[in-house]
Amino acid sequence: MTSDGAVAFWIFLLCLIGTPQLEGSEAGRPDELHIGGIFPIAGKGGWQGGQACMPAARLALDDVNKEPNLLPGFKLILHSNDSECEPGLGASVMYNLLYNRPQKLMLLAGCSTVCTTVAEAAKMWNLIVLCYGASSPALSDRKRFPTLFRTHPSATVHNPTRIKLMKKFGWSRVAILQQAEEVFISTVEDLENRCMEAGVEIVTRQSFLSDPTDAVRNLRRQDARIIVGLFYVVAARRVLCEMYKQQLYGRAHVWFFIGWYEDNWYEANLENEGITCTVEQMRKAAEGHLTTEALMWNQNNQTTISGMTAEEFRHRLNHALIEEGYDINHDRYPEGYQEAPLAYDAVWSVALAFNKTMERLTTRKKSLRDFTYTDKEIADDIYSAMNSTQFLGVSGVVAFSSQGDRIALTQIEQMVNGKYEKLGYYDTQLDNLTWLNTEQWIGGKLTRHRKLQSSWVKWIKKIKKMRMRRKMMIHLAVTEFLRTLRTILQP
């Protein structure tokens, strides 16, 4: 069954089950507000960003509950479980959260495939879903996902940036390599449309399920030089190893990778995942590639709504991750570290939306505690409050578009000597590229989008062309002479 088929199956199953009858005797204390959390942590593929996002959410819960002017008289409680970034398991986690007491007021979720399942079903229970880690462009469909918001920007914010760089460097001939997942398929469709509008030729579009070997070989056959790669990090390691084997790296090639991988992604878990390239070979193949990513960490040393700067949050998060056994001191970060500020700010978004909703409900002599899964009136109040939420968080300014998408800048980086170096920022709304002029091309020269012919090859072609022209002229002259001769000799 495809991922889309699995999503449809689980949504159909949840709809058949109907409105949940809460089980268990524990209804929660009267001063508690309960939300559900779905975190991908221990899966084998996809995005397991809950490894860092879960600790970040816990930090936010602690901070929110210590804030005296926020949710006065109430405490925010998170109930969560692992989805492994599998839509079926995610639906099961959602079912358990909804059908067991206490009553949940909202759901947090991560991983695009799980968010798709959860958000499409949650509307039936009048639940708002806030996704801290889901970039699928499909989630911007307000008709399909009427109660979805996300602190993670849509993957389509990368495409205007990619087009801007292609124009800047004169690349009008590119190739695409994608993993066959819905989030990447819809991103590629958007990229193809933008390339067509910009006059950029897509020479080939290759896709793969889990093994990229044939797809990378086909890129080599098509003489692809500028390549946009769209895949999860586990697949990215397989692609990088195959790039090395097929020699699709170095001065003749430029790869665009997704920027939300961890900094050491290309040398982590090689043995566990059966990668047959050495760390040194992976480093060699990774050198020089470009990444685009939506800014997920506040770039200014400003005090945010939590009273912390982004750097202070980083120190607290690192400490929490070290306590959980991660080797942060040696740059061994868990998956989801880049997105951790999005999870932290998601919890603050929930608290602020609840706070605003409580103020409105008080005028009607109601409370958030009155909410049930059939109460559309309170659900609409929560939606309205979330829709108007805006604050300065550790991930930057948090605000949502009319589609529930996060509005964000894009950052461009390049792998230089094994480390990511910032090249610039792009504001898609203002079409403003801030460029730092720090790019370094292998061999010292800008990579071309097609192979340049040497001067002697050009001269040979020119001589051949001249010879062909002379032969044609001689042929035409002889033909004309014979025609004239026949005319003269005719009686």
Side-chain angles (χ1 to χ4, degrees), residues 12 15 93 132 212 215 237 262 285 339 370 373 398 427 434 452 484:
F12 174 71
C15 291
V93 171
Y132 54 84
R237 284 187 275 269
E262 307 315 317
E339 293 82 5
D370 297 328
Y373 297 134
V398 178
D427 186 333
T434 302
L452 291 177
T484 305

Side-chain angles (χ1 to χ4, degrees), residues 276-329:
T276 55
C277 291
T278 65
V279 171
E280 189 56 40
Q281 290 169 339
M282 296 287 276
R283 286 175 183 162
K284 191 172 183 180
E287 186 67 19
H289 76 262
L290 302 174
T291 67
T292 58
E293 64 175 312
L295 283 178
M296 299 179 189
W297 291 77
N298 193 325
Q299 299 300 295
N300 302 315
N301 194 33
Q302 299 168 286
T303 300
T304 67
I305 193 170
S306 64
M308 293 185 295
T309 65
E311 197 57 35
E312 287 168 341
F313 166 71
R314 188 190 297 274
H315 288 310
R316 281 185 65 196
L317 177 64
N318 288 351
H319 180 71
L321 293 173
I322 289 170
E323 287 187 339
E324 293 201 9
Y326 292 103
D327 191 10
I328 303 299
N329 293 327

